Amino acid sequence: MTRRDAARNWQRIVDTGRTFVSEQRPLRLNDVAHEASVGVATVYRHFPTSEALLETLAHPSLEDLIAYAERALRDDDAWLAFVGFLTAGINAQLTDGALQPVFAAAGYELPKTAELVGHLEALAADLLDRVRTAGLIRPGVEHTDVVRLMCGVVFAASVHATPAERATLTRRYLDLVLDGLHAGNGNRSRSCSG
């Protein structure tokens, strides 16, 4: 098999895996192989586990969030940068079904995933430090609090809601959480998408 064939098969597997995730179907490698019209051994050669495939699917969104956070850290308005990053993170989780399970995983199959998540968490902590230093967030709010609250917003907007309702509910719940986090009067805590 040539490199070009291997690259084509890899892309076919990734595209098929993305379809499975977007349709909320279980990501079983044998099923992915069948639907991608490649051999099962080919799939396992590229992705030894379904977690490795899922992490690969999440990499572009993780890279986009890292780029967003890096830009946000250059923003003069610490609160709007923080809010914008949280909004981008939630929107990414709603549009990319691979992100939530990767964020929730206890460990990672691929070193690149651990590197991307670690970098993203460091940037998020820097954004939180900026609003803390500026006195714009309630005292005592930690990075883990923010992470859990954002997961809660995504969950709350997803459970018992139709896909069409999720974006509106997410903005509503995020605004409520931001109002609670903001140390001021709450008039600047609106999400960037609402």
Side-chain angles (χ1 to χ4, degrees):
M1 177 179 290
T2 67
R3 271 193 199 138
R4 184 176 295 160
D5 290 335
R8 191 178 306 120
N9 285 340
W10 183 91
Q11 191 61 56
R12 215 183 281 158
I13 294 162
V14 167
D15 291 344
T16 303
R18 191 162 302 289
T19 299
F20 273 58
V21 168
S22 67
E23 294 174 355
Q24 297 182 333
R25 294 160 55 191
L27 197 61
R28 296 187 187 103
L29 295 183
N30 289 6
D31 295 342
V32 170
H34 175 74
E35 204 155 308
S37 301
V38 298
V40 172
T42 300
V43 172
Y44 280 91
R45 191 166 38 254
H46 287 288
F47 304 100
T49 65
S50 58
E51 290 81 10
L53 176 55
L54 185 70
E55 289 175 25
T56 299
L57 297 175
H59 287 173
S61 291
L62 289 169
E63 290 165 348
D64 289 346
L65 285 172
I66 286 168
Y68 189 102
E70 288 171 341
R71 287 191 306 274
L73 282 168
R74 294 190 296 271
D75 192 323
D76 291 337
D77 189 316
W79 180 255
L80 287 181
F82 179 69
V83 169
F85 172 70
L86 296 181
T87 303
I90 284 178
N91 289 339
Q93 288 181 68
L94 289 174
T95 57
D96 185 348
L99 273 180
Q100 270 189 301
V102 167
F103 283 147
Y108 303 109
E109 292 281 312
L110 304 175
K112 181 177 180 180
T113 309
E115 177 187 324
L116 290 171
V117 171
H119 189 183
L120 184 61
E121 287 179 350
L123 292 167
D126 289 345
L127 286 163
L128 177 59
D129 285 345
R130 286 182 73 213
V131 293
R132 185 183 294 122
T133 300
L136 297 171
I137 198 162
R138 288 177 180 267
V141 175
E142 299 296 332
H143 176 68
T144 53
D145 300 323
V146 175
V147 169
R148 288 174 179 159
L149 286 169
M150 294 308 100
C151 290
V153 166
V154 173
F155 178 77
S158 300
V159 70
H160 305 304
T162 67
E165 296 171 318
R166 287 185 185 142
T168 301
L169 286 174
T170 301
R171 283 193 299 275
R172 173 177 162 70
Y173 298 152
L174 179 58
D175 286 343
L176 291 168
V177 169
L178 290 171
D179 283 343
L181 288 174
H182 197 269
N185 61 13
N187 64 353
R188 296 181 66 241
S189 56
R190 295 288 173 231
S191 65
C192 292
S193 60

